[in-house]
Amino acid sequence: MSRIVRRLIFSFSALIGIVSFSFVLVHFVPGDPVDLILGEQASSVDQLELRKQLGFDRPLWKQYLHYVTQALKFDLGQSIYDQQSVMVHVRNAFWPTLFLTLSSLFLSILWGIPLGVLSVVYRNSFLDRLGSLVSVCGFSLPVFFSAPLLIWVFSIYWPIFPVSGQEGFIYYVLPSVSLALPLGSALCQMSRSSLLEIIQKDYIRTARAKGLRKRKIYFKHAFKPVLVPIITILSLQFAALLSGVIIVETIFDWPGLGLLLFQSISRRDYPVIQACVLVIAVIYLVVNVLADFAYALVHPQMRD
């Protein structure tokens, strides 16, 4: 219980630090939202009036206290760009990113972990070399290259999948595959390297000496310790994907957190930017706390 309390205190402190740093950083970014809204030809009187309406005429520390006070009340303000509630913008963008994240994780787990395990079971075979080649290529190709390549092959050369939109299952294929390639490659490499280390342990040698089948040794006795590094990768990547992959969502015009954050930065929409950063920070902290509990479930020695 004390460990949980310490973890929660640390998470809350980290959240306060992230929110404070992002608030200050946003206000020091070049560009004035007042100029973007009114234009550079607006009179100084109109600019002063708009600054007063937006609260930019107050000192920065007063703006910060007001923002934190309102955030504790779950009120993130209104968008400077369209005067709509920030919570509405974030809520509308959160669900598309969540579904895209889950589909990407499912695809990466579906091919990454089995390929890594089979590469160890059939070590030095054609399957092992093929798995290493696929994982290295998938991990090395950046998303800003693989995503347009998938569009060119499967939307232009072979018009099978749509490029943008979110109207059905088929629209998830290309963005999910582009995100699942590097994550699945990381899972494949981690599964293979961890399993190669585990099979050198004494209890694996004992299981072999007892005459157990190879498949039972790998999947029942050796695979469970491998879940610890796999959970680490999945927790970090889940938080990163859920936070919004800006490049992929921009390329595929996906209405998620990444695209919302990119558009808000372009518009200097401070309340929406701060809300996106706050959501991203909360996601990271919550997923990391859940990962600690997952460690305890799959590895009883880590419960203490």
Side-chain angles (χ1 to χ4, degrees):
M1 181 63 67
S2 60
R3 185 177 185 276
I4 297 176
V5 173
R6 289 197 304 268
R7 182 69 173 176
L8 293 177
I9 293 175
F10 171 78
S11 300
F12 183 76
S13 303
L15 180 62
I16 294 297
I18 293 171
V19 170
S20 303
F21 178 75
S22 63
F23 181 88
V24 175
L25 185 63
V26 163
H27 284 77
F28 280 99
V29 172
D32 192 345
V34 175
D35 293 336
L36 294 176
I37 295 174
L38 297 179
E40 297 181 357
Q41 304 300 325
S43 64
S44 58
V45 176
D46 293 337
Q47 290 181 349
L48 290 174
E49 181 63 26
L50 183 58
R51 289 184 186 278
K52 186 176 181 180
Q53 293 178 6
L54 298 176
F56 293 160
D57 59 326
R58 294 176 296 176
L60 189 61
W61 66 271
K62 287 188 177 181
Q63 297 182 43
Y64 172 75
L65 290 179
H66 176 74
Y67 171 72
V68 173
T69 304
Q70 294 301 113
L72 292 175
K73 299 177 183 178
F74 298 97
D75 182 9
L76 300 178
Q78 293 181 332
S79 170
I80 297 176
Y81 182 74
D82 56 11
Q83 299 302 312
Q84 289 188 0
S85 173
V86 172
M87 293 294 294
V88 174
H89 282 289
V90 173
R91 184 173 63 249
N92 293 337
F94 177 79
W95 294 111
T97 301
L98 175 62
F99 295 143
L100 179 60
T101 298
L102 293 177
S103 61
S104 303
L105 284 176
F106 175 76
L107 287 178
S108 61
I109 293 173
L110 189 64
W111 76 270
I113 297 178
L115 185 58
V117 175
L118 291 175
S119 297
V120 178
V121 175
Y122 302 100
R123 201 171 11 167
N124 298 325
S125 65
F126 172 77
L127 183 61
D128 184 15
R129 289 189 286 270
L130 178 63
S132 300
L133 177 63
V134 171
S135 60
V136 169
C137 292
F139 196 75
S140 302
L141 290 177
V143 176
F144 61 82
F145 177 80
S146 60
L149 180 62
L150 290 173
I151 292 175
W152 181 80
V153 174
F154 296 104
S155 294
I156 299 176
Y157 189 77
W158 291 322
I160 302 175
F161 302 106
V163 177
S164 62
Q166 190 204 357
E167 302 174 5
F169 173 78
I170 195 172
Y171 289 85
Y172 284 81
V173 175
L174 292 185
S176 299
V177 170
S178 62
L179 291 174
L181 281 175
L183 177 55
S185 301
L187 290 175
C188 180
Q189 292 282 13
M190 180 60 70
S191 302
R192 185 180 186 278
S193 60
S194 300
L195 196 57
L196 283 175
E197 181 181 356
I198 294 297
I199 62 176
Q200 305 299 326
K201 301 294 184 180
D202 292 336
Y203 71 94
I204 299 297
R205 296 193 183 98
T206 303
R208 287 173 175 169
K210 290 182 179 180
L212 295 180
R213 297 176 59 185
K214 180 186 293 188
R215 184 171 300 178
K216 187 175 182 180
I217 293 175
Y218 282 101
F219 287 94
K220 183 177 180 179
H221 298 282
F223 184 68
K224 196 171 183 179
V226 179
L227 290 176
V228 174
I230 290 177
I231 290 175
T232 302
I233 293 180
L234 288 177
S235 62
L236 294 176
Q237 292 298 321
F238 178 80
L241 294 175
L242 191 57
S243 301
V245 182
I246 297 179
I247 298 176
V248 171
E249 292 189 352
T250 303
I251 292 175
F252 292 98
D253 196 25
W254 194 264
L257 283 175
L259 184 61
L260 177 63
L261 180 59
F262 175 77
Q263 293 174 346
S264 302
I265 294 174
S266 303
R267 300 166 180 168
R268 304 298 187 272
D269 198 343
Y270 294 163
V272 179
I273 296 174
Q274 294 161 7
C276 290
V277 173
L278 178 61
V279 171
I280 290 171
V282 171
I283 290 171
Y284 265 101
L285 295 175
V286 171
V287 170
N288 285 328
V289 171
L290 294 178
D292 285 346
F293 290 102
Y295 292 150
L297 290 176
V298 301
H299 206 301
Q301 294 180 354
M302 301 182 67
R303 294 176 185 174
D304 297 331

